[in-house]
């Protein structure tokens, strides 16, 4: 079953604009991660934010985490056509097995 | 450094047959996880192995089995294939069971 739910399911923007994707989850977590997937191939790890962190930056990426609302957001600034992909959030639980639970993904289309 | 490798890339099988998928982790990584990704959905956890021991199992039937070898490579076996087993099977490796995962390109299985 999918724990996380991304919002929106699909997003289309122009190059240079910012893209914001949201993720909600249900259980207590150790960390939350964002991945990118191009054309149904392997996933690429983008950023990991721990449960005791509220915000993290990596290049053009900014991730926030609100554990009280069980939600996270991924902001991609100054988007490029190469950012076109599906983006998934994945949660790692704070107890038991450390397997990731993925959301259903946001399909981002950046128009040149 | 070589990334996670998976073989074969594509596979077509008939209902009722058996399939073996293979994964080689990044050098130094001792944890391997398997995920199933059905078209249009996020990956779902199947198995996690660490130091050749099963550390977690997802909600999949007993037709699915896996193992990890002394060199940390892994096999995923699926018996009595069903049409619903058609999916992209992803392998991910990491140093330990927690934290960011490095994904391979996947094996696309089609069951007819």
């Amino acid at each position: 079953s999918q724990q996380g739910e991304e919002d929106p399911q699909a997003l289309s923007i122009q190059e240079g604009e910012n893209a914001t994707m949201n993720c909600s989850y249900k259980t207590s977590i150790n960390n939350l991660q964002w991945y990118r997937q191009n054309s149904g191939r392997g996933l690429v790890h983008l950023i990991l934010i721990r449960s005791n962190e509220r915000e993290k930056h990596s290049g053009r990426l900014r991730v926030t985490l609100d554990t009280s609302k069980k939600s996270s957001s991924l902001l991609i600034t100054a988007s490029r056509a190469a950012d076109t992909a599906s983006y998934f959030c994945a949660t790692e639980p704070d107890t038991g097995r450390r397997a990731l639970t993925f959301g259903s993904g946001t399909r981002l289309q950046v128009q040149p | 450094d070589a990334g996670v490798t998976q073989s074969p890339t594509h596979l077509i099988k008939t209902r009722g047959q058996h399939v073996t998928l293979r994964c080689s982790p990044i050098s130094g990584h001792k944890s391997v996880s398997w995920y199933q990704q059905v078209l249009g959905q996020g990956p779902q956890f199947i198995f996690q192995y660490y130091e050749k021991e099963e550390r977690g199992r997802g909600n999949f039937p007993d037709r699915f089995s896996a193992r990890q070898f002394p060199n940390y490579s892994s096999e995923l076996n699926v018996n009595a294939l069903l049409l619903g087993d058609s999916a992209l099977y992803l392998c991910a490796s990491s140093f330990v069971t927690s934290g960011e995962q490095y994904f391979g390109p996947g094996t696309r299985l089609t069951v007819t």
Side-chain angles (χ1 to χ4, degrees):
Chain A
S1 62
Q2 312 274 212
Q3 167 171 228
E5 292 297 330
E6 278 94 336
D7 169 51
Q9 290 187 333
L11 180 61
S12 182
I13 59 174
Q14 298 294 318
E15 246 185 347
E17 295 181 336
N18 295 340
T20 299
M21 288 160 266
N22 303 297
C23 168
S24 61
Y25 58 92
K26 298 175 183 175
T27 61
S28 296
I29 63 171
N30 183 41
N31 63 66
L32 184 145
Q33 304 175 36
W34 285 88
Y35 288 83
R36 184 186 72 214
Q37 185 177 41
N38 290 83
S39 302
R41 299 301 287 170
L43 281 77
V44 175
H45 182 268
L46 296 176
I47 196 166
L48 180 154
I49 186 166
R50 302 188 189 285
S51 60
N52 61 352
E53 297 175 312
R54 292 298 167 256
E55 187 171 314
K56 201 163 183 178
H57 297 255
S58 177
R60 294 185 295 113
L61 305 180
R62 172 179 170 257
V63 170
T64 62
L65 178 65
D66 187 335
T67 53
S68 66
K69 295 181 179 179
K70 290 186 168 58
S71 67
S72 173
S73 67
L74 171 68
L75 169 67
I76 304 174
T77 60
S79 62
R80 307 164 181 168
D83 294 330
T84 294
S86 291
Y87 291 81
F88 294 91
C89 70
T91 54
E92 181 183 298
D94 61 357
T95 58
R97 70 173 191 230
R98 301 296 184 179
L100 296 176
T101 299
F102 284 83
S104 50
T106 292
R107 292 181 298 282
L108 174 65
Q109 178 77 40
V110 181
Q111 306 286 353
Chain B
D1 281 343
V4 177
T5 60
Q6 291 186 243
S7 63
T9 305
H10 295 89
L11 202 53
I12 299 175
K13 290 285 190 178
T14 304
R15 277 178 297 175
Q17 286 188 318
H18 161 271
V19 68
T20 298
L21 310 181
R22 296 179 174 81
C23 170
S24 292
I26 291 172
S27 178
H29 286 190
K30 298 181 177 180
S31 178
V32 170
S33 298
W34 287 94
Y35 293 83
Q36 180 196 66
Q37 185 178 24
V38 174
L39 193 62
Q41 298 182 17
Q44 289 205 17
F45 170 72
I46 310 175
F47 285 108
Q48 183 180 68
Y49 277 79
Y50 178 70
E51 288 280 20
K52 302 175 287 280
E53 291 188 1
E54 182 182 304
R55 290 300 185 94
R57 173 188 285 255
N59 188 24
F60 280 82
D62 292 343
R63 299 184 297 108
F64 289 76
S65 64
R67 55 179 174 169
Q68 186 176 34
F69 299 98
N71 66 353
Y72 303 109
S73 66
S74 177
E75 282 183 354
L76 175 70
N77 294 283
V78 186
N79 292 323
L81 286 166
L82 303 174
L83 294 178
D85 295 331
S86 294
L88 181 67
Y89 287 85
L90 295 162
C91 171
S93 75
S94 56
F95 285 107
V96 293
T97 58
S98 179
E100 66 183 85
Q101 304 283 309
Y102 295 82
F103 282 82
T107 293
R108 185 160 299 282
L109 172 66
T110 302
V111 182
T112 61

